[in-house]
Amino acid sequence: METLSALLTFWREQAGKLGEQTLQHIGLTAVSLLLAVLLGVPVGLWLSRRPRWAPAVLGLAGVLQTVPSIALLGFLIPLLGIGPKPAIFALFLYSLLPIIRNTLAGIQGVAPAVVEAARGLGLTDGQVLHRVELPLALPVLMAGIRTATVINVGVATLAAYVAAGGLGEFIFGGIALNNPAMILAGALPAAGLALLFDAALGAVQRLSARRLGRVGVGLLVALPLLGALYLLPRASGKLLAGFSPEFVGRADGLPSLTKTYGLTRLPSVVLAPALVYEAARNANVDVIDGYSTDGRIRAYNLRVLRDDRHVFPPYYAVPVVRPALLREHPELASVLALLDGQISDSVMTNLNYRADYLHQSPQAIAEGFLRRRGLWRAPRPAGTSAPVVRLGSKIFAEQYILAEMYAALIRGNTMLAVQTKTGLGGTTICFEALRDGAIDMYPEYTGTGLLVLLQPTPAVVDSLGGRPDAVLHYVRREFRRRYRLEWLAPLGFNNTYALLMRQRQAQQLGIESVSDLGKYLRD
Amino acid sequence: MPTNQPPVVRVSRLSKHFGAHAVVQDVSFELAAGETLVLLGPSGCGKTTLLKMLNRLIEPDAGTVEINGQDVLAQRPELLRRGIGYVIQQVGLLPHYTVAENIAVVPRLLGHAPAAIADRTAALLTRLHLPPARFAGQLPHQLSGGQQQRVGLARALAADPPIVLLDEPFGALDPLTRASIRREFRELEELRSKTMVLVTHDVTEAFELADRILLLDAGRMQQLGTPRELLFRPANDFVRRFFAAERLALQLRTLTLEDVFGETPRWNTAGANCRTPDNFNTQTTVNEALEALTSTDTAPSALPFTVAELMAAFGQALQREEDAWKR
């Protein structure tokens, strides 16, 4: 019931967007279907004349059909970039099999005697095709188009992953935010469209052969018109933004950014988180959301726009430990403190770049960093009975690198043994492991500690005002009180949300901060 | 056989192979205007292939087909076919066309005036006992098999082609329907003047409809001649064996009262109290006479001869044919 009212509220608030996405969805389906009919029907006809080729062609189309849709989009992005092209092409490929197969089956289903009689009466090959074979194959052919349409309406939701719009934008935003109402807001209209098209084409299919011919021609005319829906002018501006679904949906993401900086004239598309950087690099979009220490910032030569009004909460990395560890091994305190304030945003970006793009091992990256800072000590031989420090990390490169740094420092500066338990999945798994004593420490981010683990009331969050010191102070106090866990000193970098632009474009436009961006868009 | 006119169909040395398999080998025949030729033979003997080479549904490997003195290969196949009626066993009515539209296919292709087409369609349907008011607007699947075949025949005749090709036209019908349609077919005024080539494997049908029969086996001509020639003057063992099973029935159907009783039949000179059934004449077959004699509604005393007399004369006639052949 709650979800239902949330859904209705969502639809009311986002009515404009819902309409736009629905039209885009229909447009995508229609354009790809039109292309598939234009290619698939002639191919099917050709195969009916050369049945020897049918297994090969149908096999190929069948293989295309079995490629998971996400993977197919992934293959197409390097070739076609992001935007409508890969989406339409993928949908087109999915429609081919049912259309080719049903065209062929339809023609082959025409009684040979009817064709022979028609030829015997003196119809030319073209007349046999147009007056006899096609009209008689049309019901089966239409069934193929119907299948393809229903498949397409479903698969077209994935278009949202490649910035091609459609109802998938709500669905993926909802998934990213774990917001059922938002998922339904996109999923219900998509399912409705599928049912609607299925019923409409089903009704067409049941028409008599002679009327079906006329309706078929009508459909062929209607498809480009429906496809043109996709081309309806969308909001346009000086710059185009590409955002991940989660960023668009969450309160401390785009909504607060728009409010604070007045980024009202920034039209945006939604696409898969994994693709936003690619999209910026290839200039499909100009502004993206990202994480301020991502290795791709360096790899793709992007600029982080300064969040000069502190909209994004601070996500400073801080080691969180069990106090017992420091009590039992007091020598660790100074060793762990060696990294305090040592790693700036750009340094961390660099280290991530080595991991993600140069594919160096986290261990090698950690060692290289420590050597450059003069912190490297060869590991001391730890006895078999030496106490073990268990280090945890979440499942991404930055955390692996930090864990390896601490491991190297402990091995080089103490007699303790180290066990790294990397890849503990997400935040809650690491946190629970620390509380249970399965690990002794892991690097956490202040913003995550605040919003994900402590989850204070909005009033508390507002009172902290996004000030890094205040947030750290709050999480440290609350962790001590509630969980008896200790936040040490920050490492220096802030891995928070960030708006990114291509370095060169940002330079040309003189945009350094988000305020600059807002000013540029308003001028 | 009128010989002063050039043949309507002239086939010379026609051959066709499908792969290594020779389907038709070195077949030649000529057909005069108005003549009905039946292509007869066992299944797979090449008779359908031979028929389809006449309207170029199959192209020959060697040999020529001339229609009205013109090589068919010199004409566009569709134009050639529009001038030749074509009827097949499975009928092949266009299922999405009404009866009237099916019949109108060829006249429309030929650009005939719609009014003329409508008149012609109605006339043909009427003649084939399919009242246009009821049948013209129906779709093929609403018709019985016999009705469909009649429509198929009407379709072939719609543009009044001088030549009609028929591929087992009655083959798909049950025996009763087949007999009645065959009778209609024979009595159809429309067909009297046509030059027809008809394929069948049914010997009785061949004898009933043919002016001449071309008997084929394994793609080769075994004999070309009138039914009587094939029956009483078989060219080889194959021909003889082919008719062996139905020999007596065929003889009864082939020999006429003139054959058994001579030029001045005995019943003509019989007593004045002896009435001749109206339908008896010199061309009445022995079979027909027998049917009349044995039917219960004819008084025996009213007939010019008895069954015994007829059969005796029939036996003598057979003996005469046999002797003539041996000599």
Side-chain angles (χ1 to χ4, degrees):
Chain A
M1 228 37 234
E2 203 175 309
T3 309
L4 185 64
S5 70
L7 173 66
L8 294 176
T9 312
F10 187 91
W11 269 337
R12 207 164 35 243
E13 284 170 358
Q14 306 273 356
K17 214 146 176 52
L18 176 70
E20 187 185 314
Q21 289 180 5
T22 307
L23 293 185
Q24 284 174 351
H25 208 93
I26 296 172
L28 279 174
T29 308
V31 170
S32 51
L33 206 58
L34 177 67
L35 294 176
V37 169
L38 289 182
L39 182 70
V41 171
V43 167
L45 293 179
W46 181 77
L47 287 181
S48 71
R49 301 297 189 258
R50 286 181 180 67
R52 226 157 33 94
W53 287 88
V57 175
L58 289 178
L60 180 69
V63 167
L64 286 175
Q65 193 85 3
T66 61
V67 177
S69 29
I70 280 277
L72 185 60
L73 286 173
F75 286 130
L76 292 176
I77 287 159
L79 303 173
L80 298 172
I82 65 160
K85 273 189 274 178
I88 290 173
F89 193 67
L91 291 176
F92 157 75
L93 290 181
Y94 280 123
S95 319
L96 274 182
L97 178 66
I99 293 180
I100 295 177
R101 193 177 48 199
N102 282 44
T103 305
L104 178 61
I107 297 283
Q108 285 178 339
V110 177
V114 172
V115 175
E116 196 207 310
R119 292 183 65 218
L121 291 173
L123 272 72
T124 62
D125 289 349
Q127 287 167 335
V128 170
L129 182 65
H130 281 117
R131 298 192 189 175
V132 181
E133 287 180 304
L134 269 182
L136 293 177
L138 213 49
V140 180
L141 176 55
M142 283 303 301
I145 293 179
R146 186 177 166 196
T147 308
T149 307
V150 175
I151 292 176
N152 269 6
V153 172
V155 178
T157 53
L158 292 175
Y161 264 153
V162 291
L167 290 161
E169 288 190 2
F170 284 154
I171 297 175
F172 292 114
I175 291 173
L177 294 168
N178 194 17
N179 178 345
M182 192 170 175
I183 298 175
L184 286 176
L188 287 182
L193 275 185
L195 289 175
L196 183 75
F197 285 153
D198 191 48
L201 290 174
V204 167
Q205 213 180 318
R206 279 189 292 278
L207 291 177
S208 66
R210 62 179 55 218
R211 273 202 292 175
L212 190 51
R214 255 172 269 151
V215 175
V217 171
L219 274 183
L220 219 50
V221 175
L223 279 181
L225 294 178
L226 286 175
L229 290 178
Y230 192 75
L231 303 174
L232 284 180
R234 298 213 227 172
S236 63
K238 292 184 195 170
L239 296 176
L240 179 65
F243 295 132
S244 55
E246 180 176 357
F247 183 78
V248 173
R250 64 188 275 170
D252 60 348
L254 188 59
S256 74
L257 193 74
T258 308
K259 211 178 332 165
T260 310
Y261 289 100
L263 298 179
T264 44
R265 292 196 207 158
L266 183 61
S268 63
V269 294
V270 174
L271 67 169
L275 297 174
V276 284
Y277 289 91
E278 294 285 341
R281 177 204 207 178
N282 300 329
N284 298 117
V285 296
D286 306 303
V287 182
I288 61 169
D289 68 295
Y291 294 100
S292 50
T293 57
D294 197 292
R296 285 172 289 194
I297 292 173
R298 173 169 168 189
Y300 297 164
N301 200 12
L302 303 176
R303 172 181 286 186
V304 178
L305 303 188
R306 196 155 34 80
D307 177 21
D308 48 341
R309 293 200 196 168
H310 306 290
V311 167
F312 299 132
Y315 282 79
Y316 283 88
V318 178
V320 184
V321 303
R322 293 195 306 118
L325 179 70
L326 297 179
R327 274 203 306 279
E328 287 160 21
H329 311 289
E331 72 274 25
L332 269 179
S334 61
V335 174
L336 297 179
L338 287 171
L339 287 180
D340 290 358
Q342 286 290 320
I343 307 176
S344 68
D345 287 4
S346 61
V347 167
M348 194 66 236
T349 302
N350 245 316
L351 298 178
N352 282 332
Y353 166 72
R354 285 166 192 270
D356 291 339
Y357 286 85
L358 305 181
H359 300 295
Q360 296 174 359
S361 74
Q363 207 170 355
I365 296 168
E367 182 180 331
F369 170 78
L370 294 176
R371 279 185 194 279
R372 283 195 297 281
R373 292 294 164 99
L375 297 172
W376 173 257
R377 298 256 161 72
R380 299 189 196 176
T384 47
S385 60
V388 177
V389 178
R390 289 154 305 170
L391 301 177
S393 87
K394 300 184 203 177
I395 189 165
F396 53 90
E398 182 170 294
Q399 291 257 325
Y400 292 159
I401 294 169
L402 294 177
E404 290 297 342
M405 282 183 189
Y406 283 115
L409 286 174
I410 294 170
R411 286 190 186 113
N413 293 299
T414 73
M415 296 303 290
L416 299 170
V418 178
Q419 192 185 4
T420 51
K421 293 197 169 184
T422 53
L424 284 177
T427 298
T428 38
I429 298 176
C430 273
F431 174 68
E432 293 300 337
L434 187 65
R435 282 184 75 188
D436 294 350
I439 57 174
D440 296 310
M441 75 176 255
Y442 79 95
E444 187 51 280
Y445 305 90
T446 52
T448 312
L450 179 72
L451 298 173
V452 178
L453 298 175
L454 295 173
Q455 299 188 358
T457 60
V460 173
V461 176
D462 282 348
S463 75
L464 298 173
R467 280 166 295 131
D469 296 344
V471 172
L472 178 59
H473 183 75
Y474 179 83
V475 295
R476 184 174 278 155
R477 197 184 67 210
E478 287 300 308
F479 264 62
R480 267 185 205 147
R481 193 171 67 81
R482 290 197 214 173
Y483 312 124
R484 307 199 177 289
L485 294 175
E486 188 66 26
W487 288 65
L488 302 181
L491 294 169
F493 68 90
N494 178 15
N495 183 2
T496 185
Y497 272 127
L499 284 193
L500 309 172
M501 291 181 72
R502 282 183 303 285
Q503 184 75 256
R504 174 190 290 247
Q505 189 185 31
Q507 204 153 15
Q508 275 169 4
L509 303 177
I511 297 174
E512 285 187 357
S513 64
V514 184
S515 292
D516 292 344
L517 176 65
K519 190 156 164 290
Y520 170 76
L521 291 172
R522 279 191 299 276
D523 287 344
Chain B
M1 222 59 43
T3 47
N4 50 347
Q5 285 176 327
V8 174
V9 178
R10 187 206 302 268
V11 169
S12 19
R13 318 214 61 180
L14 211 55
S15 294
K16 179 69 188 178
H17 295 76
F18 288 137
H21 180 55
V23 187
V24 173
Q25 296 182 67
D26 202 22
V27 171
S28 304
F29 61 84
E30 288 183 2
L31 218 50
E35 198 181 359
T36 298
L37 176 72
V38 170
L39 304 180
L40 181 65
S43 298
C45 70
K47 52 194 189 296
T48 293
T49 305
L50 177 57
L51 183 82
K52 287 183 179 177
M53 284 193 281
L54 300 184
N55 67 354
R56 290 190 64 185
L57 282 173
I58 293 176
E59 304 283 10
D61 293 335
T64 55
V65 175
E66 285 172 36
I67 305 267
N68 294 320
Q70 218 189 348
D71 189 340
V72 295
L73 292 179
Q75 307 171 50
R76 296 250 314 271
E78 0 7 300
L79 300 184
L80 170 76
R81 289 173 201 147
R82 286 171 202 174
I84 302 176
Y86 188 55
V87 180
I88 59 176
Q89 176 179 350
Q90 309 91 328
V91 191
L93 295 180
L94 306 185
H96 54 310
Y97 281 20
T98 62
V99 166
E101 285 168 333
N102 265 289
I103 295 173
V105 167
V106 181
R108 273 202 200 145
L109 288 173
L110 293 171
H112 292 182
I117 296 176
D119 289 349
R120 173 76 177 152
T121 303
L124 276 170
L125 283 174
T126 310
R127 239 166 285 166
L128 286 159
H129 309 297
L130 298 169
R134 181 172 155 214
F135 288 99
Q138 294 203 341
L139 288 169
H141 70 86
Q142 297 171 290
L143 307 180
S144 71
Q147 290 167 336
Q148 289 190 18
Q149 194 52 279
R150 286 195 199 117
V151 176
L153 190 59
R155 183 172 66 173
L157 295 174
D160 204 9
I163 304 171
V164 182
L165 307 180
L166 307 105
D167 189 356
E168 307 227 16
F170 315 115
L173 306 174
D174 62 87
L176 272 180
T177 315
R178 188 189 310 189
S180 80
I181 295 211
R182 210 151 67 195
R183 193 174 320 116
E184 271 176 44
F185 180 84
R186 253 184 340 198
E187 287 162 6
L188 199 61
E189 191 58 45
E190 200 69 43
L191 288 171
R192 291 273 156 84
S193 58
K194 305 284 182 208
T195 307
M196 289 193 285
V197 181
L198 184 145
V199 164
T200 185
H201 60 261
D202 181 331
V203 174
T204 314
E205 186 170 295
F207 271 68
E208 200 171 305
L209 300 175
D211 291 323
R212 283 191 296 159
I213 294 174
L214 171 53
L215 183 62
L216 286 160
D217 182 45
R220 290 192 177 279
M221 288 174 70
Q222 301 301 321
Q223 188 165 2
L224 172 62
T226 62
R228 183 183 290 240
E229 282 167 347
L230 266 71
L231 193 60
F232 295 112
R233 314 259 183 281
N236 58 32
D237 255 9
F238 175 81
V239 181
R240 185 189 301 276
R241 270 186 286 116
F242 193 79
F243 299 115
E246 289 162 274
R247 189 161 199 86
L248 181 59
L250 294 175
Q251 288 166 337
L252 287 170
R253 284 165 191 275
T254 307
L255 292 182
T256 61
L257 293 184
E258 184 181 17
D259 294 322
V260 297
F261 291 122
E263 296 254 347
T264 48
R266 218 188 76 190
W267 77 84
N268 276 358
T269 57
N273 62 337
C274 198
R275 281 195 306 108
T276 307
D278 294 339
N279 51 351
F280 274 25
N281 61 45
T282 52
Q283 294 310 309
T284 304
T285 64
V286 175
N287 193 54
E288 288 162 343
L290 261 181
E291 275 174 11
L293 289 175
T294 51
S295 77
T296 49
D297 55 337
T298 317
S301 59
L303 288 165
F305 44 79
T306 62
V307 172
E309 286 170 329
L310 179 61
M311 290 322 290
F314 174 67
Q316 287 163 7
L318 284 183
Q319 194 58 51
R320 281 198 298 277
E321 292 286 350
E322 209 49 32
D323 293 345
W325 168 235
K326 278 177 185 151
R327 236 173 286 129

